[in-house]
Amino acid sequence: MNQANDAAVEALLADIGSTHGELLAIVQQVRRIAAASGNGVTESVKYGGIMFSHSQFFCGVFAYRHHVTVEFGHGYRLEDRYHQLEGSGQYRRHIKLHSPDEVKSKHLADYIQQAYTLATG
């Protein structure tokens, strides 16, 4: 990872923590899951959130006022076995998270793993 990227990520995390501390815990969980989804995962700040990529972007996390969303640019290709994906656009899907517990109860790791596998396959 490059240092400018790391600094941008840290600045965004500090901003989320100062304005929406309860959401920071969710964002940090998402970051850990994305990093654990495979080798060579990088983070960058884009579109007001943190984007995760390998050879290409596979998902991103965004903090809003009352929730966090995890966005999948090719979400239409994911198997929605837990019926958690939202969005009716042609490609993009997302999962809304309102508490740290929902990271597990909405099976987020499964969706992120699928997105990583699609991006690297």
Side-chain angles (χ1 to χ4, degrees):
M1 290 228 222
N2 71 45
Q3 290 181 323
N5 241 9
D6 292 347
V9 169
E10 291 305 319
L12 180 61
L13 292 171
D15 183 52
I16 294 168
S18 67
T19 57
H20 301 96
E22 70 285 359
L23 300 180
L24 182 60
I26 300 171
V27 171
Q28 294 290 34
Q29 279 186 279
V30 172
R31 290 179 68 219
R32 282 192 292 275
I33 292 168
S37 64
N39 293 324
V41 174
T42 60
E43 300 180 313
S44 57
V45 174
K46 280 196 178 8
Y47 318 116
I50 299 171
M51 298 294 292
F52 304 100
S53 59
H54 180 266
S55 49
Q56 59 184 311
F57 291 120
F58 61 92
C59 72
V61 62
F62 300 86
Y64 294 97
R65 185 172 300 187
H66 300 293
H67 68 278
V68 168
T69 64
V70 179
E71 303 275 346
F72 301 97
H74 292 278
Y76 73 102
R77 295 176 63 199
L78 302 180
E79 185 184 332
D80 191 11
R81 56 184 141 238
Y82 302 107
H83 311 289
Q84 296 299 326
L85 293 174
E86 298 180 48
S88 55
Q90 190 171 0
Y91 301 113
R92 188 178 305 274
R93 299 289 181 273
H94 65 273
I95 296 176
K96 280 186 188 166
L97 304 165
H98 297 91
S99 73
D101 291 344
E102 286 188 335
V103 171
K104 188 162 278 186
S105 68
K106 292 191 172 188
H107 305 276
L108 188 66
D110 179 74
Y111 292 97
I112 290 178
Q113 185 65 59
Q114 285 188 63
Y116 174 86
T117 300
L118 284 172
T120 58

